[in-house]
Amino acid sequence: MKNLKCFYERSQHVIIGIVFALIAFIFLIMGVTVLPVLGLFIALPIMGLAIYFFSHPLDGECGAGG
């Protein structure tokens, strides 16, 4: 059961990270083509969120400390 819980937790982090990365790339493309300044200012924090979810350590028994 622990392995299944850890699998779901890892997959949630990856899915959320992918969603944020896709949104960031959309804003990056908009920043290059349509909204030069606004698109980049929105894309960079969203890309930071994606990186956070990809590198965020797992909680509790699934993490390195558990």
Side-chain angles (χ1 to χ4, degrees), residues 3-4 7 11 14-15 20-22 25 30 40 44-45 47 50 52 54-55 58-59 61 63-64:
N3 290 336
L4 189 61
F7 172 75
S11 63
V14 170
I15 290 171
F20 279 135
L22 288 175
F25 284 126
M30 284 178 50
L40 293 176
L44 292 177
M47 184 59 74
Y52 172 77
F54 283 133
S55 64
L58 298 175
D59 295 332
E61 62 190 26

Side-chain angles (χ1 to χ4, degrees), residues 2 6 9-10 56-66:
K2 175 185 168 188
C6 292
E9 188 172 348
R10 277 191 297 266
H56 183 58
L58 298 175
D59 295 332
E61 62 190 26
C62 297

Side-chain angles (χ1 to χ4, degrees), residues 5-55:
K5 180 183 176 220
C6 292
F7 172 75
Y8 286 136
E9 188 172 348
R10 277 191 297 266
S11 63
Q12 286 174 354
H13 283 228
V14 170
I15 290 171
I16 293 170
I18 288 172
V19 168
F20 279 135
L22 288 175
I23 293 171
F25 284 126
I26 289 170
F27 276 109
L28 275 174
I29 291 169
M30 284 178 50
V32 170
T33 58
V34 180
L35 302 168
V37 176
L38 184 64
L40 293 176
F41 279 126
I42 293 173
L44 292 177
I46 294 174
M47 184 59 74
L49 281 172
I51 292 171
Y52 172 77
F53 274 102
F54 283 133
S55 64

